[in-house]
Amino acid sequence: MDTHAIWRAVLSDLQLQITEGGYQTFLARTTLVSLTDTQAIIGCSQPMHIGFVEKRYAQAIKQSLQAQIKRDVSLLFTVQSVAPRQKLDGPLFGIKPAPQVSSFTRILSSSRLNPDYTFENFAVSSSNHMAYAAATAVAKNPGTSYNPLLLYGGVGVGKTHLMQAIGSYVLAQKPKAKIMYCTSEEFTNEIIEAIQTKTASSFKRRYRQVDMLLIDDVQFIAGKNTAQEEFFHTFNSIHQTKGQIILTSDRPPDEMVKLEARLRSRFEGGLIIDIGPPDFELRTAIILIKAKHRGIDLPIEAAKLLGQNIENPRKLEGVLIRLLTESQLNKVSITPDLVLRHLGKSSREAAERMSVDPEKAIDVVASYFNIKLSQLKGNKRDGFLAQVRQIVYYILRVELNLSLMSIGELLGGRDHSTILHGVRKITTMVSTNEKVRGDILGIKAKLMG
Ligand code: ADP
Ligand code: MG
């Protein structure tokens, strides 16, 4: 593999591990400048990012790189900017030969929109049809119907995609429209930088005069006072001139604890819609769309297998790319068999990574549900506690691979048949109950933490 391919694989791996905002701000624009037997030189687009990337992400980069090249190398960070077009492309978008940059792509890129995130490429099902309907309504009549539009939901449910689809749609109708997309972390960083370099007035002009402002993952703004203040004025100014504001968040405004009250009331003044986790059919549809879009020949059975086994659409795409690489390297086509082998391998790897101490896993579940260890290990037959206990059994059995006996012992001497019953119950609920599925995913994320 050449350095580009290696780095793309590393980045797609990192994208799954860290927040979207952190990824977009600090890693999306990095490059692998050179790679020798002992050292990797990594280029950051901005000098001021180096220290931060080194401190925050070096460990993750190292692990991921090591997994790709099967050897340990030291990391050296340097400044190296990327050509503007590449900037926009995430790691997952580099496999196709770069198409001729059309003038529309240029327009999209100046608004920082990803050309792949369109309504045409968006699959609709019960979990997202409300959000889709609202998004198309806003796209057709920006600034009039729902303002702001706030989409919220878990990781990978398509918030960023849908939000950007609105922007692309409007630009296709009106190429001169001033549309601005950024994450709330970028917004925060830019305002801080503007204050430091005494360019705050140009920052204000730039943001306050747009026709449409898209702020992604707005939850990160909560608690950051300067950014909230500035955002409040930006919001008002755009709203007054009938500009459209679109926001995404991982939770509804009333659960953003450190959000200023005046911002909360602004957010609540528009339309708030949640997007639920995609079901199996939707996940399969998404993977088929992604494959088609990249010109990958993916049999429906293989797509279904992926849809069954991978919960998060964000991971679907990463897996698809890895499958493609594997099939190209070995000159074989992507069959259900190849998918199965690939899934087997990654679940083994995940299990190895999950070498979590069982006591810690129990703690994590207790704190996730905000209950005391003593309640968890006790015998009170309360419906909620009973279910949390079953979730603990499930995590210990399925994720940590402990035996039923040892799980029983860890939880204050319970019978192995009780454990088995609980594990079975949660296993069924994971595929039928969205709340439970969300809880399990949340707990797993904390365990991997
Ligand atoms: P979020 O912002 O909610 O975390 P993204 O918008 O980044 O999620 O979506 C993650 C990935 O899954 C993207 O590649 C996106 O294109 C894809 N995706 C999610 N939902 C859909 C959908 N309904 N149709 C097509 N692709 C989707
Ligand atoms: Mg997003």
Side-chain angles (χ1 to χ4, degrees):
M1 268 202 274
D2 63 317
T3 49
H4 282 302
I6 293 171
W7 198 238
R8 269 201 307 269
V10 168
L11 286 181
S12 54
D13 196 31
L14 293 170
Q15 200 173 7
L16 306 176
Q17 298 176 30
I18 68 178
T19 64
E20 171 98 5
Y23 176 81
Q24 290 300 344
T25 312
F26 297 105
L27 296 179
R29 292 161 212 188
T30 54
T31 50
L32 183 55
V33 181
S34 82
L35 178 66
T36 66
D37 279 351
T38 54
Q39 189 181 56
I41 300 184
I42 292 151
C44 297
S45 59
Q46 294 194 30
M48 46 188 274
H49 284 175
I50 291 183
F52 191 81
V53 172
E54 200 168 4
K55 200 159 124 225
R56 269 279 266 287
Y57 303 124
Q59 197 54 31
I61 294 175
K62 213 168 159 172
Q63 275 174 5
S64 175
L65 190 59
Q66 199 173 346
Q68 295 299 328
I69 60 178
K70 313 279 183 257
R71 63 174 189 273
D72 189 18
V73 290
S74 64
L75 304 184
L76 186 75
F77 293 87
T78 165
V79 184
Q80 160 111 358
S81 47
V82 203
R85 223 196 78 76
Q86 247 176 305
K87 272 188 188 172
L88 182 79
D89 292 355
L92 307 179
F93 304 97
I95 291 250
K96 274 197 307 187
Q100 281 298 313
V101 182
S102 69
S103 60
F104 187 56
T105 313
R106 244 194 309 275
I107 292 172
L108 289 179
S109 121
S110 68
S111 305
R112 302 179 174 175
L113 296 176
N114 183 331
D116 290 344
Y117 288 173
T118 60
F119 285 129
E120 290 77 36
N121 289 342
F122 191 80
V124 184
S125 172
S126 54
S127 54
N128 62 16
H129 78 275
M130 289 280 286
Y132 176 80
T136 45
V138 167
K140 285 180 184 143
N141 286 305
T144 53
S145 37
Y146 308 117
N147 206 5
L149 172 65
L150 190 158
L151 305 170
Y152 76 90
V155 173
V157 297
K159 303 180 296 292
T160 300
H161 185 140
L162 203 49
M163 154 188 259
Q164 294 207 6
I166 303 175
S168 290
Y169 182 94
V170 171
L171 276 179
Q173 312 295 312
K174 280 198 211 149
K176 292 225 155 60
K178 274 190 260 163
I179 296 187
M180 177 93 105
Y181 165 85
C182 65
T183 65
S184 73
E185 280 181 330
E186 284 167 338
F187 185 89
T188 308
N189 293 345
E190 278 185 39
I191 181 72
I192 293 169
E193 205 177 308
I195 292 169
Q196 279 169 354
T197 54
K198 306 196 175 51
T199 51
S201 58
S202 85
F203 172 92
K204 287 177 185 163
R205 259 201 315 281
R206 198 149 43 90
Y207 276 93
R208 292 186 190 180
Q209 291 174 355
V210 298
D211 302 311
M212 181 179 273
L213 179 63
L214 315 175
I215 304 260
D216 210 353
D217 291 317
V218 76
Q219 72 271 8
F220 291 119
I221 217 167
K224 295 180 183 139
N225 293 338
T226 315
Q228 294 199 84
E229 165 91 26
E230 183 52 35
F231 185 55
F232 180 73
H233 297 299
T234 306
F235 188 107
N236 287 345
S237 157
I238 296 174
H239 206 263
Q240 270 156 20
T241 52
K242 296 251 182 305
Q244 175 73 43
I245 296 152
I246 304 168
L247 310 166
T248 73
S249 164
D250 67 350
R251 69 201 82 168
D254 57 355
E255 286 175 23
M256 289 184 229
V257 184
K258 290 186 182 155
L259 188 69
E260 278 186 16
R262 56 183 185 170
L263 271 180
R264 180 170 304 138
S265 81
R266 287 291 184 279
F267 291 179
E268 288 172 345
L271 181 66
I272 302 175
I273 296 191
D274 75 316
I275 309 185
D279 57 17
F280 159 68
E281 286 79 10
L282 183 56
R283 297 197 297 267
T284 309
I286 293 174
I287 192 97
L288 285 169
I289 290 179
K290 296 283 176 203
K292 179 151 176 256
H293 197 68
R294 275 164 224 300
I296 301 172
D297 189 18
L298 185 72
I300 179 111
E301 288 311 319
K304 279 190 186 162
L305 264 177
L306 290 169
Q308 257 158 10
N309 285 284
I310 299 172
E311 304 251 340
N312 190 324
R314 216 180 262 179
K315 291 198 178 160
L316 280 178
E317 190 156 28
V319 172
L320 186 63
I321 301 295
R322 269 172 244 149
L323 273 172
L324 180 68
T325 318
E326 208 168 306
S327 83
Q328 282 172 343
L329 283 177
N330 303 316
K331 303 208 167 41
V332 294
S333 49
I334 305 182
T335 55
D337 194 47
L338 184 75
V339 173
L340 270 182
R341 265 185 286 139
H342 188 85
L343 289 172
K345 197 169 84 196
S346 38
S347 68
R348 265 198 314 282
E349 282 169 6
E352 279 161 19
R353 258 186 282 133
M354 270 270 202
S355 52
V356 181
D357 175 41
E359 295 283 359
K360 184 186 161 221
I362 298 175
D363 275 347
V364 166
V365 179
S367 81
Y368 181 90
F369 290 107
N370 234 334
I371 58 173
K372 296 201 197 80
L373 264 186
S374 56
Q375 289 176 293
L376 194 65
K377 295 193 176 178
N379 281 317
K380 193 153 168 260
R381 286 172 193 266
D382 159 295
F384 170 69
L385 281 180
Q387 188 175 61
V388 174
R389 280 184 204 122
Q390 293 178 331
I391 289 180
V392 176
Y393 307 159
Y394 175 90
I395 294 282
L396 294 178
R397 178 78 196 104
V398 176
E399 300 299 338
L400 273 65
N401 224 351
L402 296 192
S403 70
L404 297 173
M405 298 283 273
S406 44
I407 298 172
E409 278 162 25
L410 273 168
L411 288 150
R414 281 171 221 269
D415 189 69
H416 83 274
S417 62
T418 311
I419 311 289
L420 181 63
H421 171 75
V423 173
R424 287 208 174 125
K425 190 150 164 225
I426 300 298
T427 309
T428 321
M429 289 180 95
V430 166
S431 53
T432 55
N433 182 316
E434 304 222 321
K435 164 91 176 55
V436 171
R437 178 160 60 222
D439 288 339
I440 299 284
L441 285 175
I443 292 165
K444 272 162 78 171
K446 280 196 163 183
L447 283 174
M448 299 280 214

